[in-house]
Amino acid sequence: HLACGALGSGECDLALAGGVTLILGSRTMRSFARMGMLSPTGRCRTFDAAADGFVRGEGCGVVVLKRLADALRDGDRVLAVIRGSAVNQDGRSDGLAAPSAAAQQALFREALERAGTDPQDVGMIETHGTGTPIGDPIEFSSLAQVYGVGRDRCALGSVKTNLGHLEPASGVSGLIKAVLCLQRGLVPPNLHFTEWNPAIAPEGTRFFVPTRLTEWPTGSSPRLAAVSSFGYSGPNAPVVLEPAPVAASSGRPVPRRPAG
């Protein structure tokens, strides 16, 4: 979000944005274990009735960002376009595992407004989806209030079921997954999902959890995806994405059109 702002204001012409996490000591792990936040089964079961906590993981992810016009001019291979993003802070909440639903909903709407996007056109949401019995229902409820009604189905993904919770790198890992889904027009399955958490009410929404490789759910063009991402200290940072222009995805320079 900060990098896009700097590019838009002309502060820079190229930016690197990413996150990394390594588990180099036991202190944080012991703290999470004492708080009962970690899955005793070692499985991230996002939105599932058997969700029993999150699984820590390690990783690094970085994306290169440029203004689209500059990338097209330079013949860069564009992977996706960030349509809009937003950031806010939860303020007071009931704890680390219980974020503010009101703050989440307000920010989803702000990111969509900046993207100039109708929430009904979003076919896939890469959720924060930690697999905690309290956090998952709150996130689902927030998403349902903003994205839940529409003419087509919408897939809820969580790469944490594959990689675990990468903590400072979890947002960029979700972003990278959403970009790959947009490129291919396919949504991979979430692991460890059998039945909905009983605290979640999917009836009346257009949401589903993919349990097999799934074609893109909406017929709208261009395809649109959203990323829902939160942080321990209360920040929320959603992003709305669309695929790269067809010519740009190959890295071939795009001829300039005459003015007028």
Side-chain angles (χ1 to χ4, degrees):
H1 175 72
L2 294 175
C4 288
L7 287 164
S9 66
E11 294 177 27
C12 65
D13 295 320
L14 183 145
L16 301 178
V20 60
T21 185
L22 294 171
I23 301 173
L24 301 177
S26 62
R27 181 178 178 181
T28 301
M29 187 77 81
R30 291 200 307 269
S31 296
F32 286 147
R34 283 196 298 267
M35 289 187 284
M37 297 178 69
L38 300 178
S39 167
T41 61
R43 294 289 183 269
C44 176
R45 307 176 192 275
T46 302
F47 301 126
D48 192 76
D52 57 2
F54 71 90
V55 180
R56 300 190 76 199
E58 297 179 300
C60 173
V62 180
V63 293
V64 180
L65 301 172
K66 290 177 72 171
R67 290 181 290 271
L68 180 59
D70 292 352
L72 295 177
R73 177 199 65 205
D74 297 339
D76 294 328
R77 186 167 67 94
V78 181
L79 302 179
V81 177
I82 296 177
R83 286 274 294 261
S85 63
V87 170
N88 73 1
Q89 229 290 337
D90 262 358
R92 285 184 177 273
S93 70
D94 293 332
L96 280 177
S100 166
Q104 290 178 2
Q105 293 170 37
L107 204 62
F108 293 151
R109 292 190 173 98
E110 183 178 341
L112 286 163
E113 183 177 352
R114 291 182 176 183
T117 298
D118 187 328
Q120 296 186 61
D121 293 333
V122 173
M124 177 254 186
I125 301 172
E126 176 59 21
T127 66
H128 190 56
T130 55
T132 57
I134 296 175
D136 284 357
I138 292 174
E139 183 179 12
F140 182 95
S141 175
S142 299
L143 291 168
Q145 290 296 316
V146 179
Y147 291 98
V149 177
R151 55 192 172 273
D152 297 308
R153 297 204 305 162
C154 179
L156 298 182
S158 175
V159 75
K160 291 181 180 66
T161 65
N162 303 95
L163 305 177
H165 194 335
L166 302 193
E167 298 165 10
S170 63
V172 73
S173 63
L175 178 76
I176 291 170
K177 176 190 168 181
V179 167
L180 294 171
C181 292
L182 282 170
Q183 282 186 310
R184 290 159 175 76
L186 297 169
V187 182
N190 282 14
L191 303 184
H192 319 306
F193 182 83
T194 304
E195 59 180 319
W196 287 100
N197 181 322
I200 291 174
E203 299 81 7
T205 74
R206 63 193 188 101
F207 294 148
F208 72 98
V209 173
T211 55
R212 57 181 176 79
L213 188 64
T214 303
E215 295 281 346
W216 198 262
T218 68
S220 56
S221 181
R223 292 190 293 267
L224 294 173
V227 180
S228 168
S229 187
F230 316 124
Y232 283 134
S233 58
N236 305 300
V239 175
V240 180
L241 301 164
E242 71 175 29
V246 175
S249 62
S250 65
R252 295 191 300 271
V254 177
R256 296 191 182 191
R257 295 180 179 178

